[in-house]
């Protein structure tokens, strides 16, 4: 056992091996979570419509066929029982006998009559007579229940077919996220695009940081979710997604990456989940597309390649370069250290300008000598001397 542990442990000169992180959300948007040990399964039956819509296609089609077949069989059996109870099956050759249903001579005929009644086909060979009150009641009951089954099953199939999940497949996210400077500040960026000509209306973007944490009291919170600001305060999270857009998260004091340098980011263990929501222009249904980025999918010091070019009378998007990035000069320090360095630089410039002005004033005063004596009237902070009239007074 010790030899096996030694075989899997890195050497003294090798970097520590990172254990592969299990994704919380797959790249295609599927949530990698399974519900286990659910004992209150009756809750699924309280919302049967959603349960049927969420089923896999083969199960939905099986339930669709069974719903109609069992309904036809159930009412067909009742029609046969009525005919058997009234003695219609014993008077098939008696022309003076008035049966409940004409030409119903067995269970198969009752099953076919049930199908004709519920689907309103009406071939005309089998028909109910007015001498069978129980048959009339059953006919009304089957017509009503058949309409309800039709509405329920057709509604399930329509909703399942028109689900906007396939529309989300044409909303693409960049394969990597990047960290680089924007206007002198570190930003975490990723790109989104829409492959269709029909647009997503009222599109909005969100980002979540998934990382386990431990509280001050020692409580361990697995997969803790933290919001990453992508322009909620400024309205930049509401997108006009006609061409690919680069979504930016500014790493400021409120960001969880405020103190993360390049080296610290590479050693960290987290997942960034991005969520794009909007309404499908063609159907008006809400659509949601998801993706995620692990630590090794965040490129420090990179920027996205431009995909938009101006052609003759229109703009063209080159999706062949959608995922491409290129390196740019980017400091490896954290955003906090970068802000502190910029503050020190600003402070140095603020104090150096008055000092240089003071030196200039002293040089001018020394050059004029004792003859003018105007140097004594100049102040030490580089300001101009008071006007001549005020000095004489």
């Amino acid at each position: 056992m010790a030899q096996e542990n030694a075989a899997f442990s890195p050497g003294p000169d090798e970097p520590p091996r990172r254990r592969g992180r299990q994704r919380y959300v797959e790249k295609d948007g599927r949530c990698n979570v399974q519900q286990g040990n659910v004992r209150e399964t009756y809750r699924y039956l309280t919302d049967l419509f959603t349960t049927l819509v969420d089923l896999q296609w083969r199960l939905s089609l099986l339930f669709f066929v069974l719903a109609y077949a069992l309904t036809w069989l159930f009412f067909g059996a009742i029609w046969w029982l009525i005919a058997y109870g009234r003695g219609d099956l014993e008077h098939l050759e008696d022309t003076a006998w008035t049966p409940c249903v004409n030409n119903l001579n067995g269970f198969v005929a009752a099953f076919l009559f049930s199908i004709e009644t519920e689907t309103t086909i009406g071939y005309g060979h089998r028909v109910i007579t007015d001498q069978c009150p129980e048959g009339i009641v059953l006919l009304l009951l089957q017509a009503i229940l058949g309409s309800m089954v039709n509405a329920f099953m057709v509604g399930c199939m329509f909703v399942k077919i028109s689900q906007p999940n396939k529309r989300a497949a044409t909303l693409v996210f960049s394969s990597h996220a990047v960290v680089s400077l924007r206007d002198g500040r570190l930003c975490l960026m990723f790109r989104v695009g829409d492959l269709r000509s029909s647009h997503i209306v009222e599109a909005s973007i969100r980002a979540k940081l998934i990382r386990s944490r431990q509280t001050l009291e020692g409580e361990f919170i697995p997969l803790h979710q933290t919001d990453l600001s992508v322009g909620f305060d400024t309205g930049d999270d509401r997108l006009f997604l006609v061409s690919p857009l680069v979504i930016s998260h500014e790493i400021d004091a409120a960001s969880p990456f405020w103190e993360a340098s390049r080296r610290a980011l590479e050693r960290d263990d987290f997942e960034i989940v991005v969520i794009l929501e909007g309404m499908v222009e063609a159907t008006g249904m809400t659509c949601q597309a998801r993706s995620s980025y692990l630590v090794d999918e965040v490129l420090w010091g990179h920027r996205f390649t431009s995909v938009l070019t101006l052609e003759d009378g229109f703009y063209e998007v080159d999706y062949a370069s959608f995922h491409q990035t290129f390196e740019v000069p980017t400091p490896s320090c954290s955003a906090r250290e970068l802000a502190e360095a910029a503050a020190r630089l600003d402070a140095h410039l603020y104090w150096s300008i008055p000092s240089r002005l003071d030196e200039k004033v002293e040089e001018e005063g020394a050059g004029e000598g004792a003859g003018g004596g105007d140097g004594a009237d100049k102040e030490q902070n580089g300001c101009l001397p008071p006007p001549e009239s005020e000095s004489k007074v």
Side-chain angles (χ1 to χ4, degrees), residues 22-178:
Q22 181 66 52
R23 284 187 179 273
Y24 190 58
V25 176
E26 299 291 342
K27 295 293 286 186
D28 58 359
R30 292 183 295 107
C31 296
N32 196 14
V33 177
Q34 296 183 359
Q35 312 296 338
N37 296 326
V38 180
R39 300 181 179 179
E40 299 177 349
T41 55
Y42 67 89
R43 296 182 180 271
Y44 294 106
L45 299 179
T46 58
D47 189 10
L48 184 60
F49 187 85
T50 305
T51 301
L52 294 178
V53 171
D54 290 340
L55 288 177
Q56 298 179 355
W57 266 108
R58 58 178 180 269
L59 297 178
S60 296
L61 293 177
L62 177 62
F63 191 87
F64 184 84
V65 173
L66 288 177
Y68 283 105
L70 292 178
T71 305
W72 296 335
L73 284 172
F74 174 74
F75 283 101
I78 297 179
W79 284 115
W80 180 83
L81 288 175
I82 292 176
Y84 179 80
R86 295 180 77 256
D88 296 343
L89 301 179
E90 299 174 357
H91 300 80
L92 296 178
E93 303 298 334
D94 189 356
T95 57
W97 182 265
T98 303
C100 183
V101 178
N102 289 330
N103 301 314
L104 196 153
N105 53 11
F107 181 77
V108 176
F111 176 70
L112 294 177
F113 180 72
S114 175
I115 297 177
E116 295 175 16
T117 301
E118 188 166 333
T119 57
T120 64
I121 294 177
Y123 291 115
H125 182 64
R126 280 174 288 270
V127 60
I128 190 171
T129 63
D130 56 358
Q131 302 297 322
C132 183
E134 60 270 28
I136 296 175
V137 173
L138 181 61
L139 178 65
L140 295 175
L141 182 62
Q142 185 174 4
I144 295 173
L145 291 181
S147 300
M148 295 176 62
V149 171
N150 286 333
F152 189 82
M153 298 310 302
V154 172
C156 287
M157 290 294 106
F158 176 77
V159 172
K160 192 171 183 64
I161 293 173
S162 61
Q163 276 185 318
N165 296 341
K166 299 302 181 182
R167 180 63 177 91
T170 55
L171 298 174
V172 293
F173 296 86
S174 58
S175 58
H176 292 81
V178 299

Side-chain angles (χ1 to χ4, degrees), residues 281-338:
E281 188 178 33
T283 62
M285 301 184 68
T286 302
C287 173
Q288 184 181 93
R290 299 179 294 266
S291 187
S292 67
Y293 302 98
L294 297 180
V295 178
D296 53 358
E297 294 172 344
V298 178
L299 304 178
W300 190 287
H302 282 245
R303 188 179 297 164
F304 286 108
T305 304
S306 178
V307 296
L308 195 63
T309 56
L310 178 60
E311 301 296 334
D312 187 11
F314 62 93
Y315 293 95
E316 183 178 1
V317 178
D318 181 17
Y319 275 98
S321 305
F322 182 81
H323 302 284
Q324 295 180 3
T325 63
F326 61 95
E327 294 188 16
V328 291
T330 304
S332 300
C333 63
S334 65
R336 178 180 180 179
E337 294 172 345
L338 184 64

Side-chain angles (χ1 to χ4, degrees), residues 1 27 36 45 110 146 149-150 170 190 212 217 233 237 249 255-256 276 322 333 357 364 385 389:
M1 183 65 66
K27 295 293 286 186
L45 299 179
V149 171
N150 286 333
T170 55
F190 58 92
S212 301
E217 294 78 14
D233 297 334
D237 62 326
H249 163 67
S255 172
L276 176 62
F322 182 81
C333 63
L357 291 176
E364 291 178 354
S389 59

Side-chain angles (χ1 to χ4, degrees), residues 365-388:
E368 292 179 0
D374 294 336
D377 295 333
K378 299 182 182 291
E379 298 183 3
Q380 291 297 320
N381 60 355
C383 296
L384 295 176
E388 183 177 356

